[in-house]
Amino acid sequence: MVTTEAEVAQEDGGGESTATVVVAALANLGIAVAKAVAGVISGSSAMLSEAAHSVADTVTEVLLLTALKRSEKPADEEHPLGYGPERYIWALLAAVATFVGGAVFSMYDGIHTLAAGEELGDPLISYIVLAVAFVLEGYSLRTGLRQARGEAERVGASFKRYLRYTPDTAVKAVVLEDSAALIGLVLAAGGLLGGQLTGSGVWDGIASLLIGILLLYVAWVLGRSNAELLIGRPLPQSVRERIRAELLAVEHVEAVLELTTLVQGPREALVAAKVDFRDVSTAGQIEWACEQAEQRLREVFPVVSRVYLDPTPGRAQRREEGLDPRP
């Protein structure tokens, strides 16, 4: 699984991710307007909740597009490590938008409907809008799934594992939100049908509540994923072991005392290590060993964009010099 996990952390589909997000944004924008009109005509709280859901999704896609564009800026003097992590800030804001714009409104509307009741109008327009929305959301989800499955197959990972660990949170957001959208459409249709058969708005209120809970879950999952990457997520354990092995294979390297890795973006990772070089090595040999180590890591792991090696005395030598208090 070494190669698989390394490549899961590197993603090379930046342009494809943008196209996936654009498709989702256009689909959600049209769907939001149609649901709002249908909700007003039919008096359905579930349809209004679905309209809020689509509005939140549209805002989310705009924020994700901002994240993709901002994170592509090259490193400069003010940001020497680049702008890669900025995508996770905007993606985290997108998760907040899903929570505030979708989940909170849907749950409030559902509770209000259950408490105050509602007058149901003609649900025909709502059924038509839900059917059209299902087709558009399905196409958007198909686009996201095709990219995610293609990347998972390319790296030899299962789809579930890829979706859990990929640092390309834009694609992850599209897949999760469009999946939630399809489930939400089914719930809204169920609420309409229940109200039509029983003449009670309770079913519509329950559907609205369930849509809110569904959005709350999606917001939590996306928020957690982006928070992990903002805090600082290392490369997988097996990849770190492989990096350590590659460093030890370099001439003049005696030991790797400490190894730190950091995912900075879908195609960026930083590697820093304290390395004990052979005591008999000259300064020139150590310099060339560092260059060779960086070259080896970049060739084996294209995701590694920055390598920092710190020549450090071994623990035995540090103890002799009284610099290491550990036995």
Side-chain angles (χ1 to χ4, degrees):
M1 291 292 292
V2 172
T3 303
T4 293
E5 291 179 327
E7 293 185 346
V8 164
Q10 85 177 40
E11 286 308 312
D12 60 1
E16 195 174 359
S17 297
T18 301
T20 298
V21 174
V22 169
V23 169
L26 293 176
N28 284 321
L29 183 60
I31 292 170
V33 175
K35 286 178 180 176
V37 172
V40 171
I41 293 175
S42 66
S44 169
S45 66
M47 283 302 298
L48 292 176
S49 295
E50 273 299 296
H53 182 177
S54 293
V55 169
D57 283 352
T58 303
V59 173
T60 294
E61 310 307 342
V62 172
L63 290 172
L64 290 177
L65 284 172
T66 303
L68 290 171
K69 295 303 180 184
R70 294 278 301 176
S71 64
E72 290 175 354
K73 294 171 61 177
D76 54 34
E77 187 174 350
E78 296 297 324
H79 299 84
L81 297 181
Y83 290 79
E86 187 170 351
R87 75 161 53 207
Y88 303 123
I89 296 175
W90 290 97
L92 184 60
L93 292 176
V96 173
T98 298
F99 172 74
V100 176
V104 172
F105 177 86
S106 297
M107 295 180 74
Y108 166 79
D109 202 37
I111 293 171
H112 180 268
T113 299
L114 290 175
E118 67 179 8
E119 288 188 16
L120 297 176
D122 185 359
L124 178 60
I125 184 65
S126 294
Y127 284 129
I128 294 173
V129 169
L130 289 174
V132 173
F134 197 90
V135 173
L136 294 176
E137 294 283 11
Y139 176 75
S140 177
L141 177 61
R142 176 178 173 271
T143 303
L145 287 175
R146 184 171 57 186
Q147 180 185 351
R149 284 175 175 162
E151 288 298 321
E153 182 179 350
R154 181 181 66 82
V155 302
S158 68
F159 175 76
K160 181 178 179 180
R161 184 175 183 80
Y162 171 84
L163 206 62
R164 169 67 181 89
Y165 290 104
T166 177
D168 192 344
T169 53
V171 172
K172 185 173 184 175
V174 169
V175 170
L176 289 180
E177 288 175 357
D178 285 345
S179 297
L182 292 178
I183 297 172
L185 292 172
V186 173
L187 290 172
L192 285 171
L193 182 60
Q196 189 178 7
L197 294 176
T198 64
S200 171
V202 170
W203 295 98
D204 210 39
I206 292 174
S208 186
L209 266 177
L210 291 176
I211 290 169
I213 293 171
L214 177 65
L215 291 176
L216 184 63
Y217 172 75
V218 171
W220 178 76
V221 170
L222 293 177
R224 182 189 64 178
S225 297
N226 287 289
E228 284 180 355
L229 289 159
L230 278 173
I231 293 170
R233 195 175 79 189
L235 291 171
Q237 175 64 34
S238 59
V239 179
R240 300 198 299 271
E241 292 174 357
R242 179 73 183 278
I243 289 174
R244 185 181 295 272
E246 291 292 335
L247 290 174
L248 289 172
V250 175
E251 187 179 6
H252 301 293
V253 172
E254 188 74 29
V256 178
L257 305 176
E258 291 183 21
L259 177 64
T260 300
T261 64
L262 179 65
V263 175
Q264 295 184 292
R267 290 157 289 168
E268 292 181 78
L270 179 148
V271 173
K274 286 183 175 293
V275 179
D276 178 21
F277 291 93
R278 293 192 178 99
D279 294 338
V280 296
S281 301
T282 65
Q285 289 173 328
I286 291 175
E287 290 174 351
W288 282 109
C290 290
E291 289 293 318
Q292 183 184 357
E294 181 173 356
Q295 184 177 357
R296 286 178 71 111
L297 292 181
R298 288 177 179 272
E299 288 176 355
V300 178
F301 306 103
V303 65
V304 174
S305 55
R306 297 174 181 86
V307 179
Y308 301 105
L309 301 181
D310 178 15
T312 306
R315 290 194 174 92
Q317 184 176 350
R318 290 173 64 84
R319 283 197 297 267
E320 291 178 1
E321 298 294 332
L323 299 176
D324 191 346
R326 291 174 295 180

